[in-house]
Amino acid sequence: ANKCVSYLMQYQQADGAESYDIISSDSLYICSSLTVSLISSAMKFINNPSDLMAKAEMMRAHCVLSGIEISDDEIIKAAAGSGLDQDILPSGLSSIMESFSDLPLYDLCEKLISCFQLYRYEGDSEYIRAFEDCVLTFSKNYSSDLNKFVNWWDESGCKSAIQPSDNQDAVTVMTVHRSKGLDFSIQF
């Protein structure tokens, strides 16, 4: 499947090639979205401020999304406390970290989305809404405890996926085994 997607992407970049969307099962996982990765990493960091890996992942996702050019080495140094993190991360994050224990889990999620201005990334809004649904469902079924949510997200929540629209005009890439019993007008 990966070779097929790679070929389709190369073909699409050729001069005069048609433009088309490609969907694969891996691309539908909520955790494949960089915005969701940023939110989940921020939640992990808020839950455990000594988790430098979560801080670095949050910073890297924010830099990529914001177009901030910075090397991975600089991100790691910033996460370790070089002071550069305050230049990179939004100023509202520190107040969220100070008051997160007073917030329900869903409100914390909303504040992070707002702080990082994640809804400006139009292609990811469906992933963000799906993540919010996961947070809300977890809060209703289990608790609004951030530590429990972070553990649940790492164990099983990250396997949640969005459902593509039946009307979406895109090439769907899947294995023959997975396609068994499905009816497609064109197959190759």
Side-chain angles (χ1 to χ4, degrees):
N2 288 339
K3 285 182 182 180
C4 184
V5 170
S6 178
Y7 175 78
L8 289 169
M9 296 298 285
Q10 287 175 354
Y11 176 78
Q12 188 176 26
Q13 293 172 354
D15 288 338
E18 291 281 331
S19 178
Y20 47 84
D21 292 329
I22 300 173
I23 298 174
S24 70
S25 59
D26 290 345
S27 70
L28 300 176
Y29 285 118
I30 296 171
C31 64
S32 68
S33 163
L34 196 55
T35 54
V36 170
S37 177
L38 193 156
I39 301 166
S40 64
S41 296
M43 288 178 144
K44 289 175 190 175
F45 177 62
I46 290 169
N47 184 55
N48 179 7
S50 64
D51 186 347
L52 297 182
M53 183 60 114
K55 185 177 182 182
E57 288 172 358
M58 172 185 63
M59 292 174 67
R60 184 178 184 288
H62 177 62
C63 288
V64 170
L65 287 167
S66 301
I68 300 170
E69 293 190 28
I70 185 170
S71 71
D72 287 343
D73 287 340
E74 290 175 303
I75 288 174
I76 292 169
K77 287 177 187 173
S82 71
L84 183 62
D85 60 332
Q86 294 176 8
D87 295 335
I88 294 172
L89 295 172
S91 58
L93 183 62
S94 58
S95 66
I96 293 172
M97 290 189 68
E98 292 169 7
S99 65
F100 85 91
S101 61
D102 300 332
L103 296 171
L105 187 60
Y106 188 81
D107 290 351
L108 172 63
C109 180
E110 285 291 310
K111 286 201 176 282
L112 288 170
I113 291 167
S114 177
C115 178
F116 286 99
Q117 301 175 0
L118 296 180
Y119 273 118
R120 67 182 166 173
Y121 306 106
E122 290 180 26
D124 276 10
S125 60
E126 191 171 348
Y127 291 93
I128 294 170
R129 282 192 296 276
F131 182 77
E132 289 175 307
D133 288 345
C134 285
V135 170
L136 191 58
T137 301
F138 181 86
S139 296
K140 285 181 179 178
N141 294 338
Y142 302 104
S143 76
S144 192
D145 181 78
L146 179 59
N147 187 51
K148 289 179 182 177
F149 175 78
V150 166
N151 290 331
W152 172 82
W153 178 255
D154 285 343
E155 291 172 13
S156 59
C158 63
K159 297 173 187 156
S160 302
I162 61 170
Q163 296 300 318
S165 168
D166 290 338
N167 299 331
Q168 189 165 3
D169 189 20
V171 175
T172 304
V173 178
M174 64 181 69
T175 63
V176 172
H177 178 73
R178 182 165 281 186
S179 69
K180 203 177 226 183
L182 299 175
D183 186 24
F184 291 103
S185 56
I186 300 174
Q187 300 171 14
F188 59 94

